[in-house]
Amino acid sequence: MNDRKEIELDITDLAFDGKAVGHIDGKVIFCDGGLPGERVRIKITRTKPRFANARVEEILTRCDDRIDPVCEHDHQCGGCTWQDLKYERQLQCKQEQVAACLKHIGGLDHIEVADIVPAAKQFYYRNKMEFSFHLTEDGESRLGLHRRGHFDDIFDIHHCHLQSEFSNKVVKAVRDFTAEKEIPVYNVHDHSGYLRFLVVREAKRTGQNLINLVTARGELPNKDEFVAMLCEQFPEITTIVHNETGSKANIAVGESETILFGDGSIEEEVCGLRFRIMANSFFQTNSDQAEVLYNIGFDLLKPEVGERLLDLYCGTGTIGIIAASRVAEVVGAELVTDAIRVARENATANNVENISFFEGNVKDLLKQDEFLSGGFDSIIIDPPRAGLHPKALRRMLRLNPGKILYISCNPATFARDAKEIIDQKYSIDSVTPVDMFPHTKHIELVGLFTRTNG
Ligand SMILES: C[S@@+](CC[C@H](N)C(=O)[O-])C[C@H]1O[C@@H](n2cnc3c(N)ncnc32)[C@H](O)[C@@H]1O
């Protein structure tokens, strides 16, 4: 096997990151196409001692699970990995990947993986999308999504099936406007230029829409015309904000925000309560499935009237605020200042008085007396993909809660953390994966740990 040779390969599996997997002479081959059960012709693009990466040149035999993708961008887009795979088979793959993580990373093959909960909507389910501006080598400006496998190449999206027709039209209008006005586009290599991201947030249940233009530092040229153009063409827009950032990190988060239209926030409804969402604050990106996920969590946790509940990594307070009516008191903890402010406003707007929020890093808060006073009967954790920091995990377990409900967006770090939690005298019978993101590789899951040492 060498870099230039074209080879035939049987695809046997799908890897955690969405890549197709086959084997040659004991070496694992990760391919950017192909489905289990298919024979493909590949070209090796990179070799390492134990694995190689390959590009699929031709599908020689199609598997029965292959379908025609609905999206015209499927061949190039880094968003949907599995639009060409029947939805039922996508679910099965996700379920198998959760089991594999528990077994291989946590050594936890005794934990049952409950049937994955399918998404009610397979298309147009996202309430947030981030689109990137990009300047090609030929000087052509683009606004769209990342080309698969490329952090620095963007293609013009015409119709994405993940958010809505409204969002597709906004992207086109902003692309046309900024090109006509010749507003300079940011370059991720030399950090010159101005326009960086367009973020569309769409509260699916209230119909409110937030448009966020993220740029390098500096006044937005043609600002009034930009706002007038959007408001005229899209009366459904409720607020427009401009975020500026001096950071070189390629993330659509501003360091300072100017409200251009409306009040800078939208409201979404989950579990019968209303939540305020700002441009930079976290909110689950599939509102319908967030409700499903939270309800499964509450059914497992069975919060009790006299309990004190700790909601770690609480974002804008959603879970704790929903749980508050079922317990005596809730304390939420979150790193992002804006999210904490909004969490407090959300509690007030929903007339929830038995909740308080602390701003800070969970691992530091978990050693502060004021934060810990009163103790906690149960803890809900919903960390980012990296899972729990070892210190946060150790300090959380020192609180000796009766129950820990773990909501995870990464089965690998869940499995790693689960092993530590179980080693400290907790048990868990099962985990439930919930599909929040059809056609993508992302997996969400929830599981309850119960203290076994009395
Ligand atoms: C997956 S989100 C969960 C949000 C919330 N539970 C919900 O369902 O809307 C993870 C949250 O953890 C916050 N976060 C990340 N690292 C943190 C840390 N070290 N300490 C506290 N919060 C952190 C993020 O800002 C984000 O709001």
Side-chain angles (χ1 to χ4, degrees):
M1 190 164 66
N2 66 44
D3 300 25
R4 287 167 297 284
K5 212 162 148 193
E6 293 200 353
I7 308 167
E8 289 190 10
L9 176 76
D10 289 318
I11 303 294
T12 53
D13 222 336
L14 289 172
F16 197 46
D17 60 358
K19 289 207 163 48
V21 180
H23 294 84
I24 297 174
D25 302 334
K27 195 170 197 167
V28 187
I29 316 290
F30 293 106
C31 305
D32 67 348
L35 295 171
E38 293 187 332
R39 190 162 180 79
V40 293
R41 189 163 54 78
I42 57 166
K43 179 151 190 174
I44 301 290
T45 51
R46 179 170 171 235
T47 46
K48 290 275 172 189
R50 296 179 60 195
F51 71 91
N53 292 336
R55 192 172 58 235
V56 172
E57 301 280 294
E58 188 184 354
I59 295 165
L60 301 169
T61 25
R62 276 170 74 108
C63 69
D64 292 342
D65 292 322
R66 179 174 284 281
I67 53 173
D68 292 331
V70 296
C71 179
E72 67 188 90
H73 306 288
D74 182 70
H75 59 288
Q76 57 179 342
C77 183
C80 290
T81 325
W82 290 333
Q83 262 203 30
D84 51 7
L85 183 61
K86 277 184 190 156
Y87 185 55
E88 297 68 30
R89 187 74 171 90
Q90 291 180 27
L91 292 172
Q92 191 190 342
C93 285
K94 291 187 180 184
Q95 172 127 1
E96 286 167 3
Q97 286 178 355
V98 172
C101 284
L102 289 173
K103 182 174 173 187
H104 299 305
I105 298 172
L108 302 168
D109 39 2
H110 64 280
I111 299 178
E112 184 203 343
V113 182
D115 286 347
I116 184 167
V117 180
K121 280 195 209 118
Q122 289 167 29
F123 293 103
Y124 304 118
Y125 56 80
R126 285 188 69 93
N127 59 31
K128 178 186 178 192
M129 289 279 291
E130 293 173 5
F131 304 93
S132 305
F133 287 92
H134 175 69
L135 193 66
T136 67
E137 283 176 5
D138 306 336
E140 183 198 335
S141 65
R142 292 186 181 153
L143 175 58
L145 297 174
H146 286 263
R147 203 177 288 280
R148 191 170 295 173
H150 296 266
F151 87 98
D152 58 352
D153 194 5
I154 302 295
F155 67 92
D156 275 341
I157 188 101
H158 301 302
H159 186 150
C160 173
H161 288 74
L162 294 194
Q163 189 167 32
S164 70
E165 196 43 53
F166 158 76
S167 136
N168 289 325
K169 287 181 182 157
V170 170
V171 172
K172 178 172 180 342
V174 173
R175 183 192 297 128
D176 290 350
F177 180 90
T178 51
E180 189 203 313
K181 301 295 175 200
E182 297 181 347
I183 305 176
V185 168
Y186 188 80
N187 182 323
V188 289
H189 294 292
D190 64 14
H191 305 286
S192 62
Y194 183 69
L195 294 169
R196 299 194 63 173
F197 304 95
L198 174 75
V199 184
V200 180
R201 293 191 95 151
E202 204 180 80
K204 297 283 186 186
R205 282 138 169 234
T206 63
Q208 298 178 16
N209 299 296
L210 179 152
I211 306 299
N212 175 20
L213 188 70
V214 185
T215 69
R217 291 234 165 256
E219 175 98 357
L220 174 61
N222 311 93
K223 185 172 65 185
D224 295 341
E225 267 183 90
F226 177 71
V227 173
M229 178 278 293
L230 282 176
C231 291
E232 262 165 40
Q233 286 194 37
F234 305 100
E236 56 273 68
I237 291 176
T238 33
T239 190
I240 304 171
V241 298
H242 171 209
N243 270 269
E244 292 174 54
T245 175
S247 164
K248 291 180 178 168
N250 202 19
I251 48 172
V253 176
E255 290 166 342
S256 60
E257 179 173 294
T258 311
I259 297 175
L260 303 180
F261 171 71
D263 74 356
S265 71
I266 53 173
E267 275 191 325
E268 180 61 307
E269 200 181 286
V270 177
C271 296
L273 300 182
R274 305 253 305 192
F275 295 94
R276 204 166 157 220
I277 305 173
M278 321 273 293
N280 292 319
S281 59
F282 178 90
F283 195 82
Q284 293 282 355
T285 41
N286 181 336
S287 306
D288 290 344
Q289 290 304 99
E291 189 166 292
V292 171
L293 179 76
Y294 295 162
N295 283 335
I296 293 172
F298 294 139
D299 286 349
L300 286 168
L301 185 67
K302 297 187 180 53
E304 286 171 26
V305 179
E307 272 189 26
R308 287 192 90 238
L309 176 66
L310 179 57
D311 179 13
L312 293 178
Y313 308 92
C314 69
T316 42
T318 328
I319 299 178
I321 291 170
I322 296 167
S325 62
R326 309 171 194 214
V327 296
E329 197 183 341
V330 185
V331 173
E334 163 64 41
L335 191 61
V336 175
T337 311
D338 254 6
I340 284 289
R341 183 167 52 78
V342 174
R344 290 187 179 123
E345 287 170 11
N346 279 334
T348 307
N350 286 293
N351 299 316
V352 173
E353 290 174 354
N354 59 338
I355 192 164
S356 52
F357 293 100
F358 286 72
E359 181 188 331
N361 193 319
V362 161
K363 79 172 168 32
D364 302 327
L365 288 170
L366 282 170
K367 58 177 187 176
Q368 287 174 17
D369 292 343
E370 191 200 351
F371 180 70
L372 299 176
S373 90
F376 299 102
D377 302 289
S378 300
I379 302 183
I380 297 178
I381 43 179
D382 185 8
R385 285 183 60 74
L388 292 174
H389 187 283
K391 283 185 182 159
L393 180 62
R394 225 170 29 242
R395 288 170 188 161
M396 175 189 75
L397 289 171
R398 251 186 244 146
L399 305 183
N400 206 24
K403 292 174 282 182
I404 300 169
L405 183 78
Y406 194 146
I407 299 177
S408 164
C409 54
N410 184 346
T413 52
F414 175 87
R416 180 200 67 198
D417 295 344
K419 184 179 180 321
E420 297 292 317
I421 297 171
I422 291 166
D423 284 351
Q424 296 303 313
K425 304 216 169 17
Y426 283 83
S427 70
I428 178 168
D429 296 329
S430 67
V431 296
T432 306
V434 176
D435 193 23
M436 315 264 296
F437 307 107
H439 315 298
T440 75
K441 60 194 175 188
H442 298 291
I443 306 175
E444 197 89 13
L445 64 92
V446 54
L448 179 75
F449 297 87
T450 312
R451 195 177 60 211
T452 56
N453 60 343

